[in-house]
């Protein structure tokens, strides 16, 4: 095994384990922390693909901003742990799991048998593509309009969050 | 050398785990986290293709997906807080206002 393969497989194992634990673990806090572990491993995988800028942005935005928001909400709501997953499993859950495994097998079938990808190494120009300089250049030329549109999206999200969190809704049962 | 296939298969696995989480968990916040998991698996696919094709558009797309994910998390968590204030629960079995 080369060094590259060892890094890849360890990242994949930890990340897959963390993803499973997000679904399995009982307390929401544990789920959130496992999700953060998963994000760090994914950032490592991005680095193995020479996407340095995306890897750093991923850690800042996901682990730094979104997950902190999640943890804040979990702590604000002061939830009790769910009852044991095994006790709440009914036929619907098993059907859901079976369908998801079927979906996974379908995807594997597509990726392995139907579209055999050539065994090529990572494109040599990807080293330069992943840098801030290159991505910044095309972000502010080719992708300027979508970039400006995201500002509208973000301001809508901010206003929406403030309005929703402030207003008292009158719900009738 | 890691072939492109391995990244795609791992992304498919992560996506399926996210689907299982959305379908079997009843806590709205954990359902939300599983949606983030699915978004991330798609991001991994984008970046893998971008690196193996030597094309930067995949990475730009990931950039915008992250923006949308941040906006979605902010609004979604605000909705969860508003729901919790009224219903005193975020169990999605008991939130059935829109159920026909």
């Amino acid at each position: 095994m080369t060094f590259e393969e060892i890094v890849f497989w360890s990242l994949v194992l930890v990340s897959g384990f963390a993803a499973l634990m997000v679904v399995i673990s009982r307390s929401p806090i544990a789920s959130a922390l496992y999700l953060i572990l998963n994000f760090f491993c994914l950032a490592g995988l991005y680095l193995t693909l020479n996407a340095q800028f995306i890897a750093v942005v991923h850690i800042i935005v996901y682990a730094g901003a979104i997950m902190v928001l999640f943890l804040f909400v979990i702590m604000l709501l002061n939830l009790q742990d769910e009852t044991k997953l095994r006790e709440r499993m009914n036929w619907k859950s098993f059907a859901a799991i079976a369908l998801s495994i079927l979906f996974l097998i379908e995807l594997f079938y597509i990726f392995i048998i139907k579209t055999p990808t050539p065994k090529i190494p990572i494109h040599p120009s990807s080293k330069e593509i992943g840098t801030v300089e290159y991505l910044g250049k095309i972000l502010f030329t080719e992708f300027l309009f979508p970039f400006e549109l995201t500002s509208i999206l973000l301001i809508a999200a901010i206003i929406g969050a403030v309005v929703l969190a402030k207003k008292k809704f009158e719900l009738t049962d | 050398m890691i072939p492109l296939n391995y990244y795609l298969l791992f992304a498919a696995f992560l996506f399926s785990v996210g689907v299982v989480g959305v379908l079997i968990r009843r806590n709205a916040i954990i359902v939300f986290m599983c949606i983030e998991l699915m978004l991330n698996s798609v991001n991994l696919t984008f970046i893998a293709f971008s690196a193996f094709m030597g094309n930067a558009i995949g990475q730009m797309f990931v950039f915008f997906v992250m923006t949308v994910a941040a906006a979605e998390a902010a609004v979604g968590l605000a909705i969860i807080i508003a729901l919790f204030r009224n219903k005193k629960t975020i169990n999605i079995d008991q939130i059935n206002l829109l159920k026909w």
Side-chain angles (χ1 to χ4, degrees):
Chain A
M1 255 202 195
T2 60
F3 175 70
E4 201 187 0
E5 281 170 339
I6 294 171
V7 170
F8 175 79
W9 285 110
S10 49
L11 282 172
V12 162
L13 281 179
V14 177
S15 173
F17 166 76
L20 282 175
M21 288 308 285
V22 171
V23 176
I24 294 169
S25 66
R26 281 170 70 189
S27 105
I29 297 270
S31 282
L33 293 178
Y34 276 117
L35 193 56
I36 292 175
L37 177 64
N38 184 41
F39 286 160
F40 274 101
C41 293
L42 276 179
L45 281 177
Y46 294 167
L47 282 181
T48 65
L49 290 165
N50 293 332
Q52 314 130 22
F53 174 64
I54 295 289
V56 173
V57 169
H58 184 263
I59 288 181
I60 294 173
V61 172
Y62 275 101
I66 296 184
M67 289 320 291
V68 170
L69 205 62
F70 269 97
L71 285 173
F72 259 118
V73 171
I74 293 170
M75 288 170 188
L76 277 176
L77 298 190
N78 188 24
L79 302 162
Q80 311 92 325
D81 288 357
E82 272 184 270
T83 47
K84 266 212 170 94
L85 204 58
R86 221 177 305 125
E87 289 160 15
R88 292 180 303 100
M89 294 287 263
N90 50 14
W91 66 271
K92 275 185 196 160
S93 315
F94 286 114
I97 292 173
L99 281 178
S100 307
I101 290 172
L102 193 70
F103 175 66
L104 185 63
I105 291 171
E106 267 177 36
L107 283 177
F108 274 35
Y109 176 74
I110 292 169
F111 286 144
I112 294 173
I113 296 167
K114 277 295 169 186
T115 51
T117 43
K119 285 208 176 261
I120 43 165
I122 292 180
H123 202 277
S125 69
S126 70
K127 263 200 189 91
E128 133 200 41
I129 282 175
T131 56
V132 185
E133 191 188 356
Y134 189 91
L135 285 179
K137 210 173 274 168
I138 60 167
L139 184 62
F140 286 106
T141 52
E142 215 178 319
F143 288 88
L144 185 62
F145 184 60
F147 178 73
E148 295 293 342
L149 279 186
T150 55
S151 64
I152 298 176
L153 177 75
L154 286 176
I155 198 131
I158 295 168
I159 295 171
V162 170
V163 169
L164 277 172
K166 208 175 80 178
K167 199 154 94 190
K168 281 264 178 193
F169 289 103
E170 287 302 320
L171 293 187
T172 49
D173 280 312
Chain B
M1 184 194 95
I2 316 280
L4 171 62
N5 251 342
Y6 289 10
Y7 287 101
L8 298 185
L9 294 178
F10 179 59
F13 169 75
L14 276 187
F15 193 89
S16 305
V17 172
V19 171
V20 172
V22 169
L23 290 177
I24 71 170
R25 293 306 298 256
R26 300 271 69 97
N27 186 330
I29 292 182
I30 292 178
V31 171
F32 237 70
M33 288 186 206
C34 292
I35 293 175
E36 299 289 335
L37 210 60
M38 287 152 77
L39 281 172
N40 272 304
S41 76
V42 176
N43 282 353
L44 181 61
T45 316
F46 269 128
I47 291 184
F49 275 120
S50 157
F52 279 87
M53 290 172 68
N55 189 333
I57 293 178
Q59 301 200 9
M60 264 353 327
F61 217 101
V62 170
F63 191 76
F64 292 118
V65 169
M66 279 181 188
T67 323
V68 173
E72 171 241 331
V75 175
L77 289 172
I79 290 175
I80 288 178
I81 289 182
L83 266 174
F84 184 77
R85 216 185 258 153
N86 290 293
K87 294 276 239 177
K88 299 284 173 254
T89 178
I90 54 164
N91 186 328
I92 54 175
D93 281 336
Q94 287 161 37
I95 301 169
N96 48 10
L97 278 171
L98 290 179
K99 208 172 185 176
W100 181 58

